Amino acid sequence: MAVDSALSSLLGPPACEKDAKALQLIEDMTRNADAVQERVLAEILAQNADTEYLRRHGLGGAIDRATFKRKLPIISYEDLQPEIQRIANGDSSAILSSHPISEFLTSSGTSAGERKLMPTIREELDRRQLLYSLLMPVMNLYVPGLDKGKGLYFLFVKSETRTPGGLLARPVLTSYYKSDHFRTRPYDPYNVYTSPNEAVLCSDSYQSMYTQMLCGLLERHHVLRLGAVFASGLLRAIRFLQLNWPQLADDIRSGTLTPRVTDPGIRSVMDQIMKPDPDLADFITLECSKDQWEGIITRIWPKTKYLDVIVTGAMAQYIPTLEYYSGGLSMACTMYASSECYFGINLNPMCKPSEVAYTIMPNMAYFEFLPHGPASAAAAYSPEMLVDLADVEVGKEYELVITTYAGLYRYRVGDILRVTGFHNSAPQFHFVRRKNVLLSIDSDKTDEAELQKAVENASQNLRSHGASVVEYTSYADTRTIPGHYVVYWELLLKDKDDAINANTACGSLSREVMGRCCLAMEESLNAVYRQCRVADGSIGPLEIRVVRPGTFEELMDYAISRGASINQYKVPRCVNFTPIVELLDSRVVSSHLSPALPHWSPERRR
Ligand code: AMP
């Protein structure tokens, strides 16, 4: 299709008229980043002028930056707990937002062990949709011909609950997939998926995954891109194929769907799709029964041009495994988003994972940046330190602070970003890390305090055996799929004979006691961890590796030999530097896996 050259963007020539408009919007927003930000803040403050929160802080209807910055405090989730609790309990007055709260989005960030509840309003769905609509126009600039085939995306909904006041509480993607924006999206040749909606919307993760994989296999010659939201999700799909290919091949051979998939919507749509295909079944059997799974993705889906998965932040640990299974395909990290707000997109999605920079779109919310670094970490921050989107400096690190249409004002997201450059006047950010996250395998985020509590709770099981944990550290082991938490324990065994035996075993502590410790740790971890373990199967059983006495002293010696100060040395509560992990592993006397699943239900504990 010929495209009006006037609409041709700085980013490159668009693939079609629709893309031209999207690229033009990106140009407009990024060229005028500061003006757009000023307008967004004024809109948010005008819209919510009569809310209890803005009144309480004495904004008096002001919509300008100076008054906003003078009057409103910088807050974290915990500061909003009372307001959020009131909304959850059914108070529908204009507390944070003048628009009715349509539902709560349950973040993978937790507070007191439970998912944070983010209030949202209906119009935010349009804003999220707008950001999604920019992704393919950008991708089409780099990868031509994506309209000639399909995307195999593993997308899932998760369970939802209602708050005491009756509002739905569910993850943001579940909310999006269940919305009309997704379910009744108009046909777009650049955005055709192999997975039927019925499979994406099935809340049983086995049936959903089975059907999505089956459809992907049936259409293997049409698949041009393969993806999941996060890298861990795509690897889970590969693992699923490893475990389930015989059944999948049987279904393909006979043209019928296994009775294990009972969802009537799925069965009816698959009835229309499936026909016996013995050649495809033979091919799947041949490829999947090989010992070598290196490059399996491109062997099964030979036309795949790239993987569409986020491999930035904590997901970077999966890059080597994805490279192995895909024979080195490019990995596109297309967007940066959260339950609180969708932030921005990657304007150069085919770049190397280490070079990914997200351009925050100035129309999504009002963004401020709290300088982050050794100096400001030590000193208490003051509100004057915050800088605006257009004023951040290349090379510096900042913590993201947002003000949203849904009613979060100067809210600390907890992400640390580094400015890598600008597109027009909009800065581009490298995602550095999320604050306070020690361990993460999937969407779980475990901090130091949670790990400490879990070790404390678990070690209660040792008391009656006269033993205690003297030191511990941890490691996210992603060499297996699914990955799992490994916690290294050095024990103090009070019994003299046991202490002598401690070099070869863990004394009189039976495997059963240590298994109980593993499970007790899992029970103590937050709801997102337990949901990943129980409902998603995306984290494997927690493992305790008992190391021999003196190991942690060796660890300290090693750190000091590398320049650490002896006075300031603290045992790292998480390790990922290979020589350290190897040192610990070489001192392991016994290892123990959690023997059962921890408890988890969609209901909140509080
Ligand atoms: P949630 O609130 O559960 O939606 O999680 C949102 C968080 O996930 C963000 O605040 C980031 O810490 C992380 N996240 C989202 N997108 C990305 C990305 N593209 N790269 C790295 N981390 C991300």
Side-chain angles (χ1 to χ4, degrees), residues 118-179:
M118 296 298 166
T120 190
I121 56 177
R122 196 146 282 124
E123 67 172 55
E124 279 291 285
L125 256 176
D126 300 330
R127 222 163 263 119
R128 283 180 220 126
Q129 177 66 35
L130 179 71
L131 203 73
Y132 281 127
S133 74
L134 305 178
L135 302 180
M136 282 315 282
V138 172
M139 191 49 95
N140 289 336
L141 295 172
Y142 297 90
V143 186
L146 290 173
D147 55 334
K148 306 290 183 294
K150 300 189 179 185
L152 165 51
Y153 280 80
F154 295 95
L155 307 177
F156 300 93
V157 294
K158 293 196 180 190
S159 61
E160 49 191 41
T161 52
R162 287 202 181 263
T163 65
L167 282 171
L168 268 179
R170 55 190 179 178
V172 62
L173 290 174
T174 300
S175 165
Y176 176 68
Y177 299 145
K178 289 193 171 179
S179 72

Side-chain angles (χ1 to χ4, degrees), residues 107-108 310 312-313 335-340 358 413 415 431 434:
S107 161
S108 60
I310 291 176
T312 43
M335 71 190 285
Y336 169 42
S338 76
S339 314
E340 293 91 329
Y358 299 102
V413 174
D415 289 348
F431 182 93
R434 195 176 166 99

